[in-house]
Amino acid sequence: MKRVLRTALTAAAVASVLALSATGGPARAATPKDIFVMATLLDEFTSLDPGEVYELVPEEYVANTYDRLVRVDLRDPSKFNGDVAQSWSVSPDGLTFTFHLRPGLKFHSGNPLSAEDVAWSIQRAVLLDKGPAAVLQGIGLTKDNVLQRVKKVDDTTITVQTDQKYAPTFVLNILGSWPASVLDEKLLMSHQKDNDFGNGWLKTNEAGSGAYKLVKWTANDSIVLQRFDGYRLPLAMKRIVLRHVPEAASQRLLIENGDADAARNLSPDDLAALTKSGKIRVTAVPQATLMYLGLNVKNPNLAKPEVQQALKWLVDYRGIQQNVVKTTYKVHETFLPEGFLGALNTNPYQQDVAKAKALLAKAGLAGGFTVKMDVRNDYPYNEIAQAVQANFALAGIKVEIIPGDNKQTLAKYRARQHDIYIGEWSADYIDPHSNAQGFAWNPDNSDKSSYKMLAWRNAWDIPQLTRETNEALAESSTDKRAQLYQAMQKEMLAQSPFVIMFQQVAQVAVRPGVTGLEVGPINDLVSYRDLKKQ
């Protein structure tokens, strides 16, 4: 989750600085037609290096300053669009992916972009061995083998060899994510120190070929991007200005007065007021983040399938959504978020106390039982915990809420020392395996396991579902793969130690006349390329 810093900066001061940053001149009432200003949160930035970035908004910055081989099509996640690659193919054994690059591409520096840069960039991310390397390890690329498995064939062709057969859509999602961004090798190696692949320099600079190039980054204040006139497509916006505005009230004033074209973090009250006034347009975008209850089956009561199902019938999903997280989450009960290949957007559970009591009686717990719930001491977790506590009490289940900071509750969860845990799961990329591996995969249920995903954390031993997850990961047919994931979701709706409740929803507010801001289910898929202002 994002850390939100607070500031005493007044809205008027912010507006003035915004206008100055955007135009280089005195403040004005509205932003120029070819400059797009967005009020957002920038406090997560510690580095600009795609091989080091592992936070949400920094991924968005990388997505707009760097190209990749391909990008997923948000309108149909089973399809991909070429970025620097104009075509690609998969070998008959499913292990080697060959990419043919577009001719004549250049970096922002003016250096030509070749297959050498693409191969080196992927190798660099793995060899740098920072957080993003874990994403590329998903297709078997390691420090020991990446130089052999990612190769330049000629100036316009590279090959990537995986360690086993995967679904092609999975491999393309990995190679279309921010760790596989294409970097300017010549530029970075000119800034290399102590064999760091230019990492020290790239922490505050940029070496991409994307639609926009970096002009200036001021930590916890702003990022200014300039249109790359050498880009392969025409761009309407000359400049993009991202401003760090942590207070929702300040964001509201900026967009209301025309000093910002978009705001990403308005409160529900601000959104409602501005929408009613007709001054902004709000788009709700489902995000790849799920909120759920994890039930540790080491607790003998929670291990009973009837109890797991009873708890699902006790939660007042719609009541909590309407009263606690009205605009920020929507009811969603399956492990694949809306927008993913194979997502089963069905919500069969609703509060039915009589049905829950009958299931508890069948489990030999007609009188209920006592259980502890670990909760992050922050909004909306506290509020949701209290609502769930009241819901469960209707069937005689007494919940003791154990509050703690995120570090404490997460450490306890990862050690399998909880009873019930309120958690969130966010995908790194929108391939369904990102979530299936979390919820439906547990190859070693021992306490010493090396695979400590969500099923393991709840001590759920699932050899059959683990096999199904592996089969879906290797399935080459996209349609068949979607069907496999839908079947798994149905299995887990019927029986699992997860009460999946909500999917996060981003509320994107823009002024009238603004079009083309593409916001996907993860920040890595936010694009400014098609932005226009009337």
Side-chain angles (χ1 to χ4, degrees), residues 182-248:
V182 181
L183 281 61
D184 187 335
E185 179 185 9
K186 182 178 179 180
L187 176 62
L188 282 178
M189 293 307 286
S190 72
H191 292 283
Q192 177 174 241
K193 291 185 178 179
D194 300 322
N195 297 315
D196 71 344
F197 300 99
N199 170 250
W201 181 82
L202 200 55
K203 285 177 183 287
T204 56
N205 291 280
E206 178 257 302
S209 61
Y212 290 90
K213 56 185 180 180
L214 177 68
V215 175
K216 185 178 182 182
W217 168 44
T218 305
N220 292 328
D221 178 74
S222 63
I223 293 177
V224 181
L225 306 177
Q226 186 81 13
R227 178 175 62 205
F228 177 37
D229 290 329
Y231 194 63
R232 62 183 181 274
L233 298 172
L235 304 168
M237 289 298 107
K238 181 179 181 181
R239 183 164 285 196
I240 307 289
V241 180
L242 309 181
R243 294 297 310 182
H244 178 56
V245 186
E247 296 292 348

Side-chain angles (χ1 to χ4, degrees), residues 137 142 153 204 413 460 524:
Q137 288 167 6
T142 68
V153 177
T204 56
Y413 185 43
W460 194 32
D524 189 38

Side-chain angles (χ1 to χ4, degrees), residues 141-396:
L141 300 180
T142 68
K143 293 176 73 172
D144 293 332
N145 66 30
V146 70
L147 296 179
Q148 290 74 43
R149 291 189 170 170
V150 180
K151 293 182 178 180
K152 165 191 170 182
V153 177
D154 56 42
D155 286 345
T156 60
T157 310
I158 78 155
T159 59
V160 178
Q161 184 180 3
T162 62
D163 61 332
Q164 66 178 63
K165 183 180 178 181
Y166 297 104
T169 48
F170 172 70
V171 177
L172 293 174
N173 264 306
I174 296 292
L175 295 176
S177 63
W178 85 97
S181 296
V182 181
L183 281 61
D184 187 335
E185 179 185 9
K186 182 178 179 180
L187 176 62
L188 282 178
M189 293 307 286
S190 72
H191 292 283
Q192 177 174 241
K193 291 185 178 179
D194 300 322
N195 297 315
D196 71 344
F197 300 99
N199 170 250
W201 181 82
L202 200 55
K203 285 177 183 287
T204 56
N205 291 280
E206 178 257 302
S209 61
Y212 290 90
K213 56 185 180 180
L214 177 68
V215 175
K216 185 178 182 182
W217 168 44
T218 305
N220 292 328
D221 178 74
S222 63
I223 293 177
V224 181
L225 306 177
Q226 186 81 13
R227 178 175 62 205
F228 177 37
D229 290 329
Y231 194 63
R232 62 183 181 274
L233 298 172
L235 304 168
M237 289 298 107
K238 181 179 181 181
R239 183 164 285 196
I240 307 289
V241 180
L242 309 181
R243 294 297 310 182
H244 178 56
V245 186
E247 296 292 348
S250 297
Q251 288 200 15
R252 173 180 172 174
L253 283 175
L254 293 173
I255 194 169
E256 194 171 34
N257 295 335
D259 294 302
D261 300 297
R264 297 281 286 278
N265 312 100
L266 294 173
S267 71
D269 290 343
D270 289 329
L271 286 164
L274 288 171
T275 302
K276 185 177 180 180
S277 71
K279 292 186 176 181
I280 63 167
R281 185 179 76 255
V282 178
T283 302
V285 183
Q287 301 293 285
T289 299
L290 301 177
M291 185 175 289
Y292 68 96
L293 303 180
L295 315 176
N296 190 345
V297 301
K298 286 190 173 186
N299 181 311
N301 289 335
L302 298 177
K304 296 180 178 182
E306 298 88 355
V307 172
Q308 296 169 7
Q309 201 170 39
L311 298 186
K312 294 175 184 179
W313 286 114
L314 283 172
V315 174
D316 182 8
Y317 304 89
R318 286 155 188 80
I320 297 173
Q321 191 274 332
Q322 286 294 312
N323 294 299
V324 180
V325 289
K326 186 172 184 179
T327 60
T328 51
Y329 291 84
K330 67 172 190 168
V331 176
H332 188 87
E333 298 175 2
T334 57
F335 72 76
L336 286 185
E338 179 184 335
F340 278 50
L341 174 71
L344 193 64
N345 297 313
T346 182
N347 302 312
Y349 291 100
Q350 56 189 338
Q351 191 175 66
D352 189 327
V353 178
K355 188 174 291 188
K357 285 183 175 180
L359 286 163
L360 290 173
K362 186 178 179 181
L365 294 166
F369 57 94
T370 300
V371 69
K372 295 180 180 179
M373 181 187 293
D374 288 286
V375 180
R376 180 178 174 181
N377 193 17
D378 199 0
Y379 171 84
Y381 311 98
N382 274 329
E383 291 77 2
I384 291 174
Q386 290 166 11
V388 170
Q389 181 186 49
N391 292 163
F392 287 3
L394 296 174

